[in-house]
Amino acid sequence: DLHIDTNLDLRPVSLRHPVERARLRVASVLEAGFREHLASRGFTSIRSPKICFAGAEGGANIFKVQYFDRTAFLAQSPQFYKQMAVAFYERVYETGPVFRAEPHQTSRHVNEYTSLDLEMGFISGFGDVMSLETELLGSMIGRVSSECGYELDLLGATLPSVPDAIPCITLEEAHAIAGAAAGRDFSGEPDLDPEEERLVCEHSAREWGSEFAFVTHYPTSKRPFYAMDDPGAPGLTLSFDLLFRGLEITTGGQRIHDYAMQVEKMRSFGLDPAQFESYLSAHRAGLPPHGGLAIGLERLTARLLDIDNIRLTTMFPRDAKRLVP
């Protein structure tokens, strides 16, 4: 019954408790399941740099570091490198730390977390990525079920059933579902707020028998410059989030593979393509149609175990006020 701050301050001691270890054990098995399943499907493991020339997501939430005589950035995502690697490996994955310089203090964010990333080439559409994730989650959760019986009993956790096909709705449809449940009008909002995520998940569980729900077609303005726009719906992207038990645990979608299209979109975002020459060289040399996703390991673990604060699924969490131990 320690206060969470005391727990985290005394982490070298508090982690000796079996409950604390059980949470991290489940996270470890999830990561191992991610790697094993993708390797069995022809994916190659890669390692991308965490000191980068530019931020993959844009915006201000990026840590600057002094790199000898110039400024560099801590990786927000291995996105650029995943896309480059698709050209020579076709299917790649990586598990590793990413960094977000977001000053807020919430139960669902930390500033350094483990990202489970994949990218796959020669897709016919972003539905291929969602289908793979459905299969992947079933395999990962199945591994937790078979290897973590003691930990699940200790934590009183109930694992979800992953359906053969996870329900999929557009952002507009998600707004309508949440609005009907809350008696509010969310239409026109560029994203889902936490209340909407919860309401959509409750609707999915009740009406479709799934604790998971894909939400697609987020506005161009809310997605990174590499997101492919939907040719049939101007202003919307071929992107998705996966919601689970009231929280977004995955972001993914189809990427731009055409050089001219990518340069044009960069400019529309106010970016100078010359600053991304090494990234664009992959497009210029030729990239297949491709897409991918990223799963936040700590968030996924917290939702599986019904833990309210993702700091408790992190060995030594980093947030805006915590730099030790």
Side-chain angles (χ1 to χ4, degrees):
D1 296 325
L2 283 178
H3 188 280
I4 187 171
D5 287 337
T6 306
N7 184 327
L8 299 180
D9 288 342
L10 302 178
R11 211 64 173 145
V13 177
S14 64
L15 282 171
R16 302 181 190 198
H17 194 287
V19 167
E20 300 297 328
R21 292 200 310 273
R23 295 164 179 158
L24 300 184
R25 163 73 174 156
V26 170
S28 174
V29 172
L30 282 171
E31 181 181 9
F34 176 85
R35 298 175 61 84
E36 179 183 63
H37 184 81
L38 293 180
S40 74
R41 296 297 184 270
F43 283 74
T44 299
S45 174
I46 63 171
R47 289 288 180 268
S48 64
K50 303 309 169 195
I51 302 175
C52 303
F53 71 95
E57 307 296 335
N61 60 337
I62 182 168
F63 287 108
K64 295 182 180 181
V65 296
Q66 189 64 35
Y67 190 70
F68 300 105
D69 61 345
R70 59 195 136 158
T71 299
F73 305 93
L74 293 183
Q76 295 171 300
S77 162
Q79 185 61 43
F80 293 164
Y81 302 100
K82 289 193 301 177
Q83 289 185 256
M84 294 179 199
V86 161
F88 43 87
Y89 283 130
E90 295 186 13
R91 291 182 161 208
V92 298
Y93 71 89
E94 176 173 2
T95 67
V98 294
F99 307 87
R100 302 294 172 97
E102 298 165 335
H104 45 54
Q105 292 275 103
T106 78
S107 62
R108 50 196 277 162
H109 295 91
V110 284
N111 294 103
E112 177 184 353
Y113 65 92
T114 303
S115 187
L116 309 181
D117 277 88
L118 68 86
E119 204 77 16
M120 53 193 296
F122 297 100
I123 62 173
S124 59
F126 74 142
D128 290 351
V129 183
M130 291 188 283
S131 294
L132 177 72
E133 181 169 27
T134 303
E135 172 190 300
L136 173 62
L137 286 170
S139 178
M140 292 168 65
I141 293 170
R143 181 161 181 167
V144 170
S145 178
S146 64
E147 296 186 15
C148 297
Y150 167 77
E151 288 82 5
L152 296 172
D153 288 344
L154 184 64
L155 298 168
T158 302
L159 296 179
S161 174
V162 181
D164 292 337
I166 292 174
C168 183
I169 57 175
T170 66
L171 177 62
E172 182 179 1
E173 290 169 331
H175 283 322
I177 289 169
R184 296 171 53 194
D185 182 10
F186 296 105
S187 62
E189 293 297 323
D191 206 343
L192 295 175
D193 67 22
E195 181 186 9
E196 288 184 279
E197 291 179 347
R198 177 180 59 79
L199 292 171
V200 168
C201 285
E202 289 176 357
H203 179 91
S204 181
R206 183 176 62 252
E207 301 297 328
W208 305 320
S210 171
E211 294 188 78
F212 299 88
F214 282 117
V215 180
T216 70
H217 289 84
Y218 286 81
T220 298
S221 61
K222 289 295 292 183
R223 293 282 136 149
F225 62 79
Y226 50 77
M228 175 79 79
D229 287 339
D230 187 342
L236 301 178
T237 56
L238 297 173
S239 66
F240 65 85
D241 281 354
L242 178 62
L243 308 183
F244 171 51
R245 291 181 177 171
L247 193 64
E248 172 253 306
I249 59 166
T250 299
T251 295
Q254 187 167 351
R255 326 301 192 187
I256 296 173
H257 61 276
D258 179 78
Y259 173 77
M261 184 184 296
Q262 183 61 90
V263 168
E264 180 182 355
K265 190 163 186 182
M266 282 181 168
R267 288 175 174 153
S268 74
F269 272 52
L271 300 171
D272 179 6
Q275 300 296 314
F276 298 86
E277 181 56 34
S278 60
Y279 170 65
L280 289 170
S281 66
H283 296 72
R284 186 185 292 110
L287 283 176
H290 63 282
L293 57 80
I295 303 171
L297 176 61
E298 291 81 1
R299 279 196 183 187
L300 174 58
T301 306
R303 290 297 79 215
L304 280 176
L305 302 178
D306 284 323
I307 296 170
D308 291 335
N309 197 314
I310 69 169
R311 287 165 180 78
L312 295 176
T313 60
T314 309
M315 186 176 291
F316 298 109
R318 293 290 176 259
D319 56 40
K321 296 183 179 180
R322 182 171 297 280
L323 197 55
V324 295

